[in-house]
Amino acid sequence: MKIAIIPARGGSKRVKKKNIKLFEGIPAIGRVITILSKSKIFDIIIVSTDSSEIMKIAKKYKAEVPFRRPKNISGDHSSTHAVIKHCIKWLENKRIHPEYICCVYPTAFFIEHKDLEEGYKKIKKNKCKFVFAGSKDKVSTWKSFTNDKNKTKVIFPKYEMLRTQETKDTYHDSGQFYWAKTQTWMTSKSIFSSRCEIVTIPKIKDHDIDTIEDWKFAEQTWKNLKKNNV
């Protein structure tokens, strides 16, 4: 059994009501639920939320909302891991034992069926603990630096004098999905401290939405892709 879990708390400071904000006329979480449903990959799609408003919208789009998320894992600093573990324990109490869990964020508008399928195939091989969507950095992280009080500091001095093409490519989390076996979710403390593999997402579909500027850029990208039938 494969279950998708969408963590969607009600509080969002930088983008108000981000998880249900209309994206091209459809509530964010509604759009993502629709994508997951059409993929035909998952046996169950569950939304974990503390918000009655999100519950209502999630149910409208045919996701399961079998419980209200407890307050102690609904704050600003609550981890995704804690939310997934809570849901797994709830399922186990109901004698539901999925083999695979895929965490999907409610603003992953650009998620694609083929990427979810690729992630599932990778995790089934059992050579890694987690599979997630990632994108190649436009500029190598090895050449980056901090800028604190107008004082710059190179983070990796030994790479400072190297040409970019002489350093290895670096990647970042695209904030879309995270596949793992159920037992791995329960025993691992962090996704990225475990053995991982990446499903590479093209830069144009790499949108981790944290600010209203991110949201507007994602909307414009969506319109451009639709216009060009991409």
Side-chain angles (χ1 to χ4, degrees):
M1 180 182 284
K2 304 181 291 296
I3 291 181
I5 300 174
I6 305 175
R9 70 186 185 91
S12 180
K13 290 182 172 62
R14 287 181 290 183
V15 181
K16 189 175 181 181
K17 294 187 176 183
K18 178 173 75 171
N19 293 327
I20 55 174
K21 182 177 171 65
L22 296 184
F23 185 88
E24 287 295 289
I26 299 174
I29 196 168
R31 184 176 290 279
V32 171
I33 291 169
T34 300
I35 293 170
L36 298 184
S37 297
K38 287 183 176 180
S39 75
K40 305 295 184 183
I41 295 171
F42 302 102
D43 299 289
I44 307 172
I45 300 169
I46 293 176
V47 172
S48 173
T49 184
D50 60 325
S51 164
S52 297
E53 197 170 7
I54 292 176
M55 282 183 175
K56 184 178 179 180
I57 292 172
K59 289 176 181 178
K60 178 182 176 181
Y61 284 87
K62 310 303 182 184
E64 300 290 329
V65 192
F67 55 79
R68 182 184 292 272
R69 193 198 301 180
K71 288 184 179 180
N72 66 311
I73 55 170
S74 298
D76 291 343
H77 301 291
S78 299
S79 70
T80 296
H81 238 80
V83 173
I84 301 302
K85 285 181 179 179
H86 169 266
C87 188
I88 290 171
K89 288 177 182 177
W90 187 92
L91 289 166
E92 288 176 345
N93 287 335
K94 299 296 180 181
R95 297 183 181 180
I96 301 171
H97 304 284
E99 186 174 5
Y100 298 97
I101 297 287
C102 185
C103 169
V104 182
Y105 284 148
T107 54
F109 311 124
F110 295 88
I111 198 169
E112 294 192 44
H113 303 170
K114 65 180 180 63
D115 296 326
L116 288 166
E117 284 280 9
E118 183 181 345
Y120 176 57
K121 288 176 182 178
K122 284 178 180 286
I123 205 68
K124 274 187 70 177
K125 290 180 180 178
N126 206 28
K127 293 183 179 179
C128 58
K129 288 192 173 182
F130 284 93
V131 176
F132 66 95
S135 186
K136 181 180 174 182
D137 293 320
K138 187 176 181 180
V139 179
S140 175
T141 302
W142 303 116
K143 305 286 284 183
S144 60
F145 55 88
T146 59
N147 186 26
D148 184 24
K149 297 179 180 178
N150 293 321
K151 291 183 180 180
T152 61
K153 183 179 180 181
V154 176
I155 299 175
F156 304 104
K158 71 176 184 177
Y159 296 104
E160 183 180 4
M161 303 309 295
L162 292 179
R163 295 177 299 169
T164 300
Q165 58 265 39
E166 294 175 318
T167 62
K168 290 183 178 180
D169 291 335
T170 57
Y171 294 77
H172 60 269
D173 174 16
S174 292
Q176 286 195 357
F177 62 83
Y178 310 84
W179 276 105
K181 283 194 169 185
T182 302
Q183 188 59 30
T184 302
W185 279 109
M186 294 303 293
T187 57
S188 298
K189 292 182 179 180
S190 169
I191 294 171
F192 306 109
S193 63
S194 304
R195 193 167 66 252
C196 300
E197 286 191 24
I198 295 175
V199 174
T200 304
I201 304 299
K203 194 66 183 173
I204 197 168
K205 295 183 179 180
D206 172 46
H207 294 272
D208 190 4
I209 297 174
D210 292 316
T211 66
I212 195 65
E213 288 75 21
D214 294 336
W215 185 283
K216 290 177 180 178
F217 184 62
E219 282 189 316
Q220 188 57 54
T221 302
W222 182 277
K223 290 175 183 177
N224 291 341
L225 290 172
K226 189 175 181 180
K227 181 179 179 181
N228 293 296
N229 296 314
V230 177

